[in-house]
Amino acid sequence: MHDSQLAGQYRSYAEESQNKDFRAVELSASEEPIEKRYHVILHYERITKAESKFEALQNTLLGNTVVENAKVTLIEIDANLPVQPLT
């Protein structure tokens, strides 16, 4: 099995195991929305021709191509989990 297929299976399992209504908002006793912490995974791949890595990146980012064509997974995580974004 290819690594991206395995990663996709784990992402799907994590997302499905939470069994959350996508638009559900949990409210506090005072009827205020409770903000949750989510791990957002954005997976996008493409093959492109460009004069440099910079140009390849810029051509990919222009027009929100990445967001429009990406596989996005949202997994709710514990607010105290010590996770830092990749840089």
Side-chain angles (χ1 to χ4, degrees), residues 9-86:
Q9 285 181 342
Y10 279 115
R11 284 192 303 267
S12 293
Y13 174 75
E15 199 172 34
E16 291 168 8
S17 69
Q18 290 184 349
N19 198 22
K20 301 273 182 173
D21 178 354
F22 196 72
R23 296 178 186 255
V25 176
E26 190 174 336
L27 301 176
S28 68
S30 63
E31 299 293 319
E32 294 293 321
I34 299 172
E35 287 194 3
K36 309 260 178 147
R37 188 173 184 200
Y38 293 91
H39 181 183
V40 179
I41 303 167
L42 177 72
H43 183 90
Y44 176 80
E45 293 183 37
R46 82 181 199 134
I47 305 296
T48 187
K49 290 184 179 180
E51 295 175 5
S52 67
K53 287 174 77 174
F54 174 80
E55 181 183 337
L57 175 62
Q58 291 305 308
N59 290 343
T60 300
L61 296 176
L62 289 176
N64 293 322
T65 303
V66 172
V67 174
E68 293 171 3
N69 297 323
K71 165 74 173 129
V72 179
T73 304
L74 300 152
I75 302 168
E76 185 179 330
I77 59 175
D78 185 281
N80 298 317
L81 188 66
V83 177
Q84 299 299 320
L86 295 174

